[in-house]
Amino acid sequence: VARVPLGRPTPRRRKTRQMMVGSVGVGSDHPVSVQSMTTTVTAHVDETLQQIAELTAAGCDIVRVAVPSRDDCEALPAITAKSSLPVVADIHFQPRYVFAAIEAGCAAVRVNPGNIKRFDDQIKDITRAASDHGVPLRIGVNAGSLDPRVLARHGSATAEALVESAMREAELFTEHDFHDFKISVKHHDPMVTIEAYELLAQQCEQPLHLGVTEAGPIQQGTVKSATAFGCLLRQGIGDTIRVSLSAPPVEEVKVGVEILRSLGLRPRQLEIVSCPSCGRAQVDVYRLAEEVSAGLEGLPVPLRVAVMGCVVNGPGEAREADLGVASGNGKGQIFVRGEVVRTVPESRIVETLIEEALRIAEEQGQE
Ligand code: SF4
C-alpha cells in the first residue's frame, strides 16, 4: 500500500456564506468543524459542563444542548458562561425558549420548524432577536419530524421533501432579510441523506450541517456516517458535521474527527497502519496494534506507526512510516524513519515502539 502523504490536497469546498458560531467559523472559508450533543439533563449544570469538557478533550468544536424544559432553559446562562465550547441550544416545540437561549449567550440556536407550531408567525421576532445579538440559527429538518404539510404532499420523507421543507423555512428567514443561518436535512438512510444534501447544495448558499440521523449503534452509525459524509465532503459539500450514535457523545466526536482526518480535512495526530493479519502472521498483530494504540493515545505530535505481522509487506510499510515494526520469527525489526534501529523479541515490541515514539515526540517538540 503506497503511503499517502500527510499534506495531500484537501477536497475543494462548495462556496458558502460565512458565519461565526461563537469563536468557531462555519462556512467554506473555515475548516469543517465537529459537533456533538450532550446527553446529560441540561439543567444539571455541573454534569453538563463536565461532559462538555470531555467532548472538548476529544476534539469537539461546537456543542449542542437540548432545551426541552423551563429548568433547562434557565440553566443556559450558567452553561454558556463556563462552557469551553460554543453552545448551541436545541429547541423543539417552544418558540419562547429561542428568545431565552439567545439572551442566555448561546452561540447559535437550532430550530426544527416541523416541531415548532406557530413558527411561521414568530419568525419575524426570532430573526430580529438573532440579528440583534449576532446569533446564527440552524434550520434542522429531520425525516422523523418533517413539516406535516410537506409530508402530506410527498407521501414520505424523501430527499425532495426534506429539501422542500428546509427551503420553505429558509425563504421565511430571507424574506425578513435574515441570512445568518445554516441548514441540515437529516435522514437515517445514508443514500437519502446524500441525495438531500446534494439537492440542497444546488439551491442555497448557506453552510450545511451534515448528519445521518438516528444512525444506530456505534458500528452501524459509524459506517453510515462515514459513507454519507465521505461522499459529500469529497464533493466539497458540508461545513460542520455531527455523527449521531447510540453511544456516549465522546464516541461521536472521535468518529467525526477520524472521518475528517481520513479525508485530509483535519491534521492527523497518531495514525496506526496495521495489517489485518493472515495465515502468514508470526506475531499477534491484533494485540500489538491495540497495545500500541492505547500506549500512544494522546501523543501531542503527528506520528504514523506501522504494525505489521510478517516480512511480506512489513518492511515496506514500516520503512514508509515514521516508526514501525516488521515482525518475523517471534522478533520485531524496529524502524525509525526508514532505518532499522533495533531487533527485539516479540515481548518487547510494544515497549520499544512506545519508547521510540516518545523520543521522536520529544525531538519534534524541541525543533
Ligand atoms: Fe499477512 Fe504479513 Fe500482510 Fe500481515 S503483513 S496481512 S501477516 S501477509
Side-chain angles (χ1 to χ4, degrees):
V1 180
R3 178 178 181 177
V4 182
L6 293 180
R8 76 191 111 174
T10 52
R12 212 175 27 203
R13 303 269 300 279
R14 158 187 163 265
K15 186 83 190 132
T16 71
R17 299 182 75 91
Q18 315 302 322
M19 60 195 59
M20 295 303 293
V21 175
S23 56
V24 177
V26 176
S28 51
D29 291 353
H30 303 280
V32 178
S33 48
V34 173
Q35 308 205 9
S36 186
M37 193 165 177
T38 51
T39 53
T40 51
V41 173
T42 302
H44 297 174
V45 174
D46 288 346
E47 284 171 32
T48 303
L49 287 170
Q50 174 60 33
Q51 198 170 58
I52 293 174
E54 289 163 16
L55 296 174
T56 310
C60 191
D61 301 301
I62 297 170
V63 69
R64 187 155 45 112
V65 300
V67 188
S69 74
R70 205 168 117 188
D71 285 351
D72 299 316
C73 201
E74 286 172 356
L76 289 175
I79 293 169
T80 59
K82 289 197 176 157
S83 171
S84 44
L85 297 175
V87 175
V88 180
D90 189 81
I91 316 259
H92 295 255
F93 306 115
Q94 298 280 6
R96 69 177 189 277
Y97 293 168
V98 176
F99 301 104
I102 290 171
E103 290 288 337
C106 286
V109 179
R110 179 270 172 115
V111 291
N112 179 343
N115 272 353
I116 296 190
K117 291 193 181 62
R118 306 184 319 278
F119 183 83
D120 298 5
D121 305 340
Q122 305 219 10
I123 211 132
K124 188 173 170 200
D125 295 336
I126 288 174
T127 53
R128 180 176 300 152
S131 280
D132 289 351
H133 290 78
V135 170
L137 302 175
R138 167 159 69 95
I139 297 174
V141 174
N142 259 27
S145 51
L146 203 53
D147 184 326
R149 297 162 289 189
V150 178
L151 192 58
R153 251 197 318 281
H154 289 266
S156 67
T158 59
E160 290 79 8
L162 293 169
V163 173
E164 184 185 319
S165 178
M167 290 309 296
R168 194 173 165 281
E169 305 309 328
E171 272 165 32
L172 293 176
F173 280 173
T174 53
E175 271 169 18
H176 289 94
D177 204 21
F178 183 79
H179 304 274
D180 212 9
F181 62 96
K182 49 202 167 85
I183 307 182
S184 61
V185 280
K186 300 188 183 181
H187 196 283
H188 63 85
D189 181 332
M191 298 311 288
V192 179
T193 304
I194 293 167
E195 203 186 330
Y197 279 101
E198 286 174 345
L199 274 176
L200 187 60
Q202 292 163 15
Q203 296 184 28
C204 71
E205 53 179 12
Q206 306 311 127
L208 300 183
H209 164 122
L210 301 187
V212 177
T213 192
E214 291 110 28
I218 201 157
Q219 188 176 1
Q220 179 185 292
T222 298
V223 172
K224 281 186 173 187
S225 301
T227 303
F229 297 180
C231 286
L232 290 164
L233 290 168
R234 188 69 188 108
Q235 301 177 62
I237 298 173
D239 304 286
T240 182
I241 63 171
R242 192 260 171 123
V243 173
S244 299
L245 300 176
S246 303
V250 154
E251 300 304 322
E252 298 184 345
V253 173
K254 287 183 188 167
V255 172
V257 167
E258 205 49 46
I259 290 173
L260 295 186
R261 284 181 180 155
S262 298
L263 291 161
L265 290 167
R266 188 173 278 214
R268 279 209 170 276
Q269 289 300 112
L270 177 65
E271 180 182 15
I272 303 286
V273 179
S274 58
C275 81
S277 189
C278 73
R280 290 189 198 89
Q282 294 172 349
V283 293
D284 183 346
V285 178
Y286 300 166
R287 183 183 61 77
L288 280 185
E290 256 174 41
E291 288 182 8
V292 173
S293 297
L296 295 180
E297 201 181 333
L299 198 73
V301 297
L303 195 74
R304 183 187 305 244
V305 183
V307 179
M308 304 294 290
C310 80
V311 294
V312 172
N313 295 323
E317 284 290 357
R319 228 174 244 122
E320 288 293 312
D322 299 304
L323 174 63
V325 59
S327 312
N329 267 341
K331 292 185 190 145
Q333 272 190 320
I334 307 293
F335 289 74
V336 175
R337 297 192 176 117
E339 303 292 332
V340 178
V341 294
R342 301 195 230 177
T343 300
V344 297
E346 183 177 350
S347 60
R348 294 206 46 229
I349 290 174
V350 174
E351 64 176 83
T352 310
L353 285 173
I354 292 173
E355 212 176 284
E356 290 293 340
L358 294 176
R359 203 177 48 71
I360 293 172
E362 202 181 312
E363 275 174 26
Q364 288 191 14
Q366 286 164 0
E367 278 168 10

